[in-house]
Amino acid sequence: MLPWKRALRPVAALLLAVSVALTPAVASANPAPSSGWNNYSCKPSSTHPRPVVLVHGTLGNSIDNWLALAPYLVRRGYCVFSLDYGQLPGVPFFHGLGPIDKSAEQLDTYVDKVLAATGASKADLVGHSQGGMMPRHYLKFLGGAEKVNALVGLAPDNHGTTLNGLTKLLPYFPGAEDLISAHTPGLADQMAGSAFLTKLNAGGDTVPGVRYTVIATRYDQVVTPYRSQYLTGPDVRNVLLQDLCAVDLSEHVAIGLFDRIAYHEVANALDPADATPTTCASVFD
């Protein structure tokens, strides 16, 4: 083994151990209640006839991921809901770490709950990162295509990620990949080439009857390469944020948490009949 590999091995092990040890302690607080969304008495209007279900990303939750986008959509007349999924025992705040196929089952149950409360026949889904990819399992394997009109992904890892090549280093750290799979299977499922993603993308990226929008940023440092986010198939629109506003520097986190240019494009995807051009000025909408 090369000297640099021997040197990195204990460092990697230490980082993993520290992150696992600290997560429950850091995650002791409960998220603040949402404001203006998750209102189960909300009834969709004729203008916006479908409820919007927001699907958080890895290490996110139903509140913090959507403190900006949920009110943005509520102000535009949508009934907006958000769920928690992929919880691990003893980690009450950072979610999206459980097996992704099981997370998709949680989404299935939640969409049924929203449709029953609102009386709508279909919902629209908007997800960030894993939240833009995980619903595709629901659509493809759990009958979700019958209940969903559109899926909008903000920086979704549709074909996995290499983390700028870091995942290729795992074989040099014996036991690291097994440790990740055992303790945070949701992370392992998102690695490019994983069994989960191989099954998800076999036979095509999309299913009939659902409109897909992918909104990506060239500065994404988590889902890499960023073009791996794009989907291929009918009723697909792949959007690069910098094609809409060249000076938008949002990276993986910012595109989901507060980028109003990306949000304008989300609104266009939810209501294409009334879409307006997305530009740098959309930040003021």
Side-chain angles (χ1 to χ4, degrees):
M1 181 180 291
L2 295 175
W4 68 269
K5 294 177 187 174
R6 284 197 296 269
L8 283 176
R9 184 173 175 179
V11 172
L14 177 62
L15 289 175
L16 283 169
V18 169
S19 64
V20 170
L22 290 182
T23 295
V26 173
S28 59
N30 292 321
S34 61
S35 175
W37 81 97
N38 288 330
N39 174 10
Y40 287 90
S41 65
C42 185
K43 300 299 180 184
S45 66
S46 58
T47 305
H48 301 306
R50 292 175 300 275
V52 177
V53 174
L54 303 178
V55 190
H56 65 74
T58 306
L59 298 174
N61 61 64
S62 61
I63 304 300
D64 289 355
N65 212 141
W66 307 119
L67 290 172
L69 180 57
Y72 180 95
L73 294 175
V74 168
R75 287 194 299 271
R76 283 155 178 76
Y78 289 94
C79 293
V80 180
F81 302 86
S82 59
L83 79 155
D84 288 304
Y85 71 86
Q87 300 91 329
L88 291 181
V91 186
F93 189 74
F94 300 115
H95 303 321
L97 295 171
I100 297 182
D101 57 346
K102 300 302 181 183
S103 295
E105 292 175 6
Q106 292 178 273
L107 177 61
D108 185 9
T109 300
Y110 190 79
V111 170
D112 285 348
K113 177 181 177 180
V114 168
L115 294 181
T118 59
S121 59
K122 288 190 175 184
D124 289 326
L125 308 180
V126 178
H128 179 211
S129 191
Q130 180 189 164
M133 174 272 289
M134 176 270 280
R136 293 179 48 229
H137 182 92
Y138 162 59
L139 298 177
K140 193 169 187 177
F141 299 113
L142 302 179
E146 298 177 0
K147 307 170 190 176
V148 172
N149 168 71
L151 170 61
V152 184
L154 291 159
D157 51 345
N158 282 314
H159 298 94
T161 179
T162 67
L163 284 174
N164 279 320
L166 290 177
T167 59
K168 296 179 181 179
L169 296 177
L170 285 174
Y172 296 110
F173 303 102
E177 192 164 359
D178 290 339
L179 182 64
I180 294 171
S181 297
H183 293 282
T184 54
L187 296 181
D189 285 345
Q190 294 177 77
M191 294 181 188
S194 71
F196 172 83
L197 287 167
T198 299
K199 177 182 177 181
L200 177 64
N201 293 313
D205 291 346
T206 64
V207 295
V210 179
R211 291 188 295 104
Y212 297 82
T213 302
V214 173
I215 305 171
T217 170
R218 71 168 69 253
Y219 302 115
D220 200 312
Q221 79 285 36
V222 175
V223 181
T224 57
Y226 75 84
R227 290 184 180 86
S228 68
Q229 301 173 26
Y230 293 160
L231 296 172
T232 300
D235 293 322
V236 169
R237 183 166 186 258
N238 295 311
V239 181
L240 183 63
L241 201 54
Q242 285 72 35
D243 287 343
L244 307 175
C245 177
V247 296
D248 192 320
L249 302 179
S250 287
E251 37 64 68
H252 184 80
V253 175
I255 193 175
L257 266 58
F258 54 77
D259 191 304
R260 292 176 67 90
I261 297 169
Y263 292 177
H264 188 272
E265 196 61 19
V266 169
N268 281 346
L270 294 175
D271 186 10
D274 295 311
T276 58
T278 301
T279 67
C280 296
S282 298
V283 72
F284 300 110
D285 286 351

